Amino acid sequence: MKAEILAVGTEILLGQILNTNAQYLAKQLAELGITLHYQTVVGDNPQRLTKALDTAFSRANLVIMTGGLGPTQDDLTKETAAAYFNAPMVLHEDILAEIKAYFRRMDRPFTDNNIKQAAFPEGSLIIPNHNGTAPGCIMEKDEKIAVVLPGPPRENIPMFEDTVKAYLREKSGIQIFSRTVHIFGIGEATLEQMLLDLTESTDPTVATYAKDGEVEVRVSSAAQTEKQAQEKIEPVVDIIRARAGNAIYGYDDTSVAETVLEALKSRGWKLAAAESCTGGMIASALVDISGSSEVFEAGFVTYANRAKMNMVGVKPQTLEQFGAVSTQTAQEMAEGARKTADVDIAVSVTGVAGPGGGTPEKPVGLVYIAVATKEKTVCREFHFPGNRLKIRTLTMKNALKMVLDQVK
Amino acid sequence: MKAEILAVGTEILLGQILNTNAQYLAKQLAELGITLHYQTVVGDNPQRLTKALDTAFSRANLVIMTGGLGPTQDDLTKETAAAYFNAPMVLHEDILAEIKAYFRRMDRPFTDNNIKQAAFPEGSLIIPNHNGTAPGCIMEKDEKIAVVLPGPPRENIPMFEDTVKAYLREKSGIQIFSRTVHIFGIGEATLEQMLLDLTESTDPTVATYAKDGEVEVRVSSAAQTEKQAQEKIEPVVDIIRARAGNAIYGYDDTSVAETVLEALKSRGWKLAAAESCTGGMIASALVDISGSSEVFEAGFVTYANRAKMNMVGVKPQTLEQFGAVSTQTAQEMAEGARKTADVDIAVSVTGVAGPGGGTPEKPVGLVYIAVATKEKTVCREFHFPGNRLKIRTLTMKNALKMVLDQVK
């Protein structure tokens, strides 16, 4: 099956919103083993929309359209698709009643322009929308399929998950299963060299993706059942495990922060953080995860020197002799945070995030990260590239990875 | 001038990366007053790329292409555009020397496949790339213009800013100027009602955009000079100012965090934060801004009750009697943070960010924010909608706005 994604909306053409739907749907289609050759965006203009739909169906037999299902005169996606399939629009009284009920629940007045949201092309399969007023629909005729979904991601994603996915899975017969290996501490280029023989394989396919200092390796196989796919995937994951070893911190849906929380939880350890240049990012990454309160005890954002002394007990002479960005200060911050918060392990970071503040001796990107436990304190020096946000993000991730290494 | 954006890359079709370039370029074109009717994504396939470029030029006279400028066999964007314009590829020795120098600086080995990055269609204008190895180019022939840019945003955005923008501005003759008014504390629907007469105007146009609890009002006018546009825009901004009053916190490129830092700086005040459910987000939003060290003294992430007592001196009986999520705890956190960090003003937040932890009395979304100065402590109760991240983000923004109100 060959698919195209056709997003409808002048607000996308004006750059007012980002077309995240296209990425979501593209990923879903790839996982379903459905080929996608083009994505298109067109505005709320009936002539151009009609032409774009014609063009899409001249190249593909499945077109997924998003947006343009609202109550206004501009919203013409359903009507355009209906015209392409020569199907008249039919009002569904039961859906109209549901839309009216939705308005009552939301305590919003129902206006007549909303009636058109209950009209659908004759013979189409209706896709319920539990998060908004506009249901979607699937039309099928002469081996051509049009899937019509509303624009807001919080509406169309559940609709795709709940209804469209099963429909397309049945149509396509095969789907792509994959396993993701999360790696930290090996660069993408080096990893590519390490896995060169694997990336040449076509079943399963092996691909690497770099992001914020991490690399993901995805091993994928197209098959009719998950079991068949796993038989291809698992031996390759075993090889990656043998080669990347300790640099692997997790599999599939996970993050360094989640892995750290899990590892601390299973040891019954509590963590504190003392942050200078990251300024709360480490704490925030942990607190972002529900249930982190069991593990994350306290955070100190000691951005100013005075705060480093007062809050976590860094000695004035340490700051004077070695400076705020130094191994000594990082170590005293970690040890002080551990004692002050009375926890099992503490992590500290201090560095020059830029753009200002760099010197020849202590350039922008220089960061010290220390981890203190009851037994010992370890500290590492890093030189991170990039802008302020990139340096802070890399610092945060490396700090979490250093905690993980100490907990394990 | 009519434009199209053509993004080239199989990784976009597979959903591995989000096509943020399209949004960036779309916004830029809108600001230059250049009409955009279609955006397309196509993979690294020479036949389909050629066809997509044909289709784009059949509808538009300016096509901006992104991606596919790298050293591999797959990277064919420049070559395809050259073929469309019947221009042979010419090697530029000076650019080759620059690319080789770039590799030396990055301490990476230069391989021969990189030579093609120094070849460009004959007669094209070369766009320097200071952040990567692949320069871009502009081709022009028979009233048709192709702009070719590399895929990575950190390369193509500076290239567009530094070179392409001026080129297109000269070509298009007119451009769109706008002023953005930042509003906090009035919902988008209410604001739309307040500005209904203004939003019906066509020159200047007035549009509202809601994001994370804030609303932006953009007033835009198409003109040949900035002065002409400002004469249309300023009187409308005056009306908005008269109606929205105190809810306006800034204009154009700014954020609540930046406005808070500026306000504190001009008063010579230092700030501390004590965060529970936001867990470092307030600190991180401030530290994200270069130069924040002058103003932001210290942050306490007091996620656990014990940390609330030990770090900022919340009384055990307060926690026992009123609970961690209460006006009393928020107030003691703010006052304690102010005294402990020895600063002029402190903000505190405590709330239920969910998804777990809600009760009928203290449901998910209940948040208390307090601000303490030497003179007084104010505290407000909020009920935020949405998921954990949304609740935490709204809390962070409202906390910053409450600080701003106290500093002003």
Side-chain angles (χ1 to χ4, degrees):
Chain A
M1 202 184 295
K2 253 199 248 174
E4 295 210 10
I5 297 170
L6 179 56
V8 186
T10 301
E11 64 275 30
I12 305 177
L13 289 183
L14 291 174
Q16 289 161 0
I17 58 170
L18 182 59
N19 187 11
T20 56
N21 291 332
Q23 184 187 22
Y24 167 76
L25 292 171
K27 210 181 253 178
Q28 294 296 320
L29 291 172
E31 279 171 19
L32 288 162
I34 296 173
T35 306
L36 178 71
H37 282 163
Y38 296 92
Q39 298 172 4
T40 309
V41 178
V42 65
D44 300 304
N45 170 290
Q47 285 78 37
R48 285 191 286 273
L49 176 53
T50 301
K51 227 171 131 185
L53 188 61
D54 277 350
T55 306
F57 271 126
S58 75
R59 303 181 293 210
N61 51 353
L62 165 66
V63 179
I64 303 186
M65 305 171 82
T66 56
L69 296 193
T72 75
Q73 295 295 325
D74 277 357
D75 295 310
L76 287 166
T77 305
K78 241 174 359 187
E79 292 75 2
T80 306
Y84 183 86
F85 283 93
N86 277 320
M89 295 294 284
V90 179
L91 184 72
H92 290 240
E93 291 293 348
D94 52 334
I95 292 172
L96 184 59
E98 277 172 33
I99 295 174
K100 285 184 174 169
Y102 184 93
F103 271 84
R104 271 196 303 277
R105 273 203 309 281
M106 292 284 143
D107 205 18
R108 279 159 47 190
F110 180 89
T111 47
D112 281 349
N113 52 358
N114 286 293
I115 292 171
K116 79 193 269 287
Q117 297 186 92
F120 292 88
E122 198 175 67
S124 61
L125 177 73
I126 292 174
I127 310 169
N129 180 353
H130 301 296
N131 301 294
T133 53
C137 64
I138 301 177
M139 278 165 267
E140 202 183 329
K141 197 179 175 181
D142 305 335
E143 308 275 298
K144 283 179 180 166
I145 302 170
V147 175
V148 179
L149 293 168
R154 66 184 195 88
E155 299 181 25
N156 68 35
I157 292 176
M159 291 164 79
F160 191 93
E161 293 289 333
D162 296 346
T163 308
V164 182
K165 201 185 254 188
Y167 175 88
L168 293 179
R169 186 172 290 159
E170 206 195 298
K171 287 280 163 197
S172 91
I174 64 150
Q175 58 178 316
I176 299 197
F177 297 90
S178 44
R179 192 94 203 268
T180 303
V181 183
H182 295 271
I183 291 175
F184 197 100
I186 304 179
E188 195 190 13
T190 312
L191 196 68
E192 242 170 17
Q193 286 300 320
M194 286 167 65
L195 307 178
L196 206 57
D197 53 327
L198 301 181
T199 52
E200 281 164 6
S201 142
T202 52
D203 187 21
T205 59
V206 177
T208 59
Y209 308 99
K211 209 193 147 201
D212 288 341
E214 293 188 43
V215 187
E216 280 181 20
V217 184
R218 196 175 305 148
V219 185
S220 311
S221 178
Q224 277 171 316
T225 69
E226 184 158 4
K227 193 167 167 288
Q228 286 171 352
Q230 292 309 344
E231 279 165 14
K232 299 262 172 90
I233 291 171
E234 281 311 319
V236 174
V237 171
D238 287 341
I239 298 172
I240 297 170
R241 200 178 288 124
R243 295 190 193 165
N246 251 341
I248 296 175
Y249 72 80
Y251 299 89
D252 300 326
D253 280 333
T254 191
S255 66
V256 184
E258 274 178 64
T259 312
V260 167
L261 282 183
E262 281 309 315
L264 288 165
K265 209 176 280 178
S266 69
R267 275 196 82 155
W269 275 16
K270 287 200 181 281
L271 172 75
E275 307 182 52
S276 184
C277 62
T278 45
M281 264 183 139
I282 297 173
S284 191
L286 293 167
V287 172
D288 197 26
I289 299 159
S290 183
S292 45
S293 52
E294 285 176 51
V295 167
F296 184 66
E297 173 83 17
F300 304 86
V301 183
T302 58
Y303 199 44
N305 272 353
R306 202 167 57 128
K308 289 186 184 72
M309 297 183 278
N310 293 347
M311 287 166 70
V312 291
V314 174
K315 292 189 211 93
Q317 54 271 40
T318 304
L319 290 168
E320 213 163 286
Q321 192 181 344
F322 303 102
V325 179
S326 64
T327 305
Q328 290 78 3
T329 299
Q331 285 178 335
E332 289 188 16
M333 282 169 71
E335 286 160 10
R338 202 186 70 73
K339 280 177 205 146
T340 310
D342 185 23
V343 290
D344 308 281
I345 184 165
V347 61
S348 74
V349 305
T350 179
V352 189
T359 64
E361 295 78 39
K362 297 193 175 175
V364 169
L366 173 67
V367 174
Y368 294 91
I369 305 179
V371 176
T373 60
K374 273 189 193 85
E375 286 73 37
K376 63 174 175 194
T377 303
V378 294
C379 184
R380 279 182 65 190
E381 178 180 324
F382 294 88
H383 291 266
F384 295 123
N387 63 13
R388 186 174 178 88
L389 185 61
K390 177 105 186 263
I391 290 168
R392 296 173 69 225
T393 307
L394 289 173
T395 303
M396 180 265 283
K397 289 219 173 170
N398 277 281
L400 291 173
K401 182 59 167 49
M402 278 181 64
V403 171
L404 189 62
D405 290 340
Q406 292 306 315
V407 180
K408 267 184 174 166
Chain B
M1 203 185 294
K2 250 198 248 174
E4 296 210 7
I5 297 169
L6 179 57
V8 186
T10 301
E11 64 276 33
I12 306 177
L13 289 184
L14 290 175
Q16 289 161 1
I17 59 169
L18 184 58
N19 187 10
T20 56
N21 290 331
Q23 184 187 23
Y24 167 77
L25 293 170
K27 211 182 251 178
Q28 295 296 321
L29 291 171
E31 278 170 20
L32 288 162
I34 296 173
T35 306
L36 178 71
H37 283 164
Y38 295 92
Q39 298 172 4
T40 308
V41 178
V42 65
D44 300 305
N45 171 290
Q47 285 78 38
R48 286 191 286 274
L49 176 53
T50 302
K51 227 172 131 183
L53 188 61
D54 278 349
T55 307
F57 271 126
S58 74
R59 303 181 294 210
N61 50 353
L62 166 66
V63 178
I64 302 185
M65 303 171 84
T66 57
L69 296 194
T72 75
Q73 296 296 326
D74 277 358
D75 295 311
L76 287 166
T77 305
K78 247 178 347 191
E79 292 77 3
T80 306
Y84 183 85
F85 282 92
N86 275 322
M89 294 294 283
V90 179
L91 185 70
H92 291 240
E93 291 292 347
D94 52 332
I95 293 173
L96 184 59
E98 278 172 33
I99 294 175
K100 285 184 174 169
Y102 185 92
F103 271 84
R104 272 195 302 278
R105 273 204 310 282
M106 291 285 142
D107 204 20
R108 279 158 47 190
F110 180 88
T111 47
D112 280 351
N113 53 358
N114 286 291
I115 293 173
K116 78 192 272 285
Q117 296 186 90
F120 292 89
E122 197 175 68
S124 61
L125 176 75
I126 293 176
I127 311 169
N129 180 354
H130 302 294
N131 301 294
T133 53
C137 63
I138 301 178
M139 279 166 266
E140 203 182 328
K141 197 178 173 181
D142 306 334
E143 309 273 297
K144 282 178 182 167
I145 302 169
V147 176
V148 179
L149 293 168
R154 67 186 194 87
E155 299 181 24
N156 68 35
I157 292 176
M159 291 164 78
F160 192 93
E161 293 289 334
D162 296 345
T163 309
V164 183
K165 201 185 255 187
Y167 175 89
L168 292 178
R169 186 172 290 157
E170 206 196 299
K171 288 282 162 194
S172 90
I174 65 151
Q175 57 178 316
I176 300 196
F177 297 90
S178 43
R179 191 95 204 268
T180 303
V181 183
H182 295 271
I183 291 175
F184 196 101
I186 304 178
E188 193 189 15
T190 311
L191 195 70
E192 242 170 17
Q193 285 300 319
M194 286 167 67
L195 307 177
L196 206 57
D197 53 330
L198 301 180
T199 53
E200 281 164 4
S201 143
T202 52
D203 187 21
T205 59
V206 177
T208 58
Y209 308 97
K211 207 192 150 203
D212 289 340
E214 293 187 44
V215 187
E216 279 180 22
V217 184
R218 194 175 306 148
V219 185
S220 311
S221 179
Q224 276 170 317
T225 69
E226 183 158 5
K227 194 169 166 287
Q228 286 172 353
Q230 292 308 346
E231 278 166 13
K232 299 263 172 89
I233 291 171
E234 281 310 320
V236 174
V237 171
D238 287 341
I239 299 173
I240 296 171
R241 200 178 288 124
R243 294 190 193 166
N246 252 341
I248 297 175
Y249 73 80
Y251 299 89
D252 300 325
D253 279 333
T254 191
S255 66
V256 184
E258 276 178 64
T259 313
V260 167
L261 281 184
E262 281 309 312
L264 288 165
K265 208 176 280 178
S266 69
R267 276 197 81 155
W269 275 17
K270 287 200 181 280
L271 170 76
E275 308 183 52
S276 184
C277 62
T278 44
M281 265 184 138
I282 296 173
S284 189
L286 293 167
V287 172
D288 197 26
I289 300 159
S290 184
S292 46
S293 52
E294 287 176 49
V295 166
F296 183 66
E297 174 82 16
F300 304 86
V301 183
T302 57
Y303 198 45
N305 273 353
R306 203 167 57 127
K308 290 186 182 73
M309 296 184 279
N310 293 347
M311 288 167 69
V312 291
V314 174
K315 294 190 208 91
Q317 55 272 40
T318 305
L319 290 168
E320 210 164 288
Q321 193 180 343
F322 303 102
V325 179
S326 64
T327 305
Q328 291 78 4
T329 298
Q331 285 177 336
E332 291 188 16
M333 283 169 71
E335 288 160 8
R338 202 187 68 73
K339 281 177 204 144
T340 309
D342 185 22
V343 290
D344 308 281
I345 184 165
V347 60
S348 73
V349 305
T350 178
V352 189
T359 64
E361 296 78 38
K362 297 193 175 174
V364 169
L366 173 66
V367 174
Y368 293 91
I369 304 179
V371 177
T373 59
K374 274 189 193 86
E375 285 73 39
K376 63 175 175 190
T377 304
V378 294
C379 184
R380 278 181 65 190
E381 177 180 324
F382 294 87
H383 292 265
F384 295 122
N387 62 13
R388 185 174 179 88
L389 185 61
K390 176 105 186 262
I391 290 168
R392 294 174 68 224
T393 307
L394 289 172
T395 302
M396 180 263 285
K397 289 221 171 170
N398 277 280
L400 291 173
K401 182 59 167 54
M402 278 181 66
V403 172
L404 188 63
D405 291 340
Q406 292 306 313
V407 180
K408 269 186 174 167

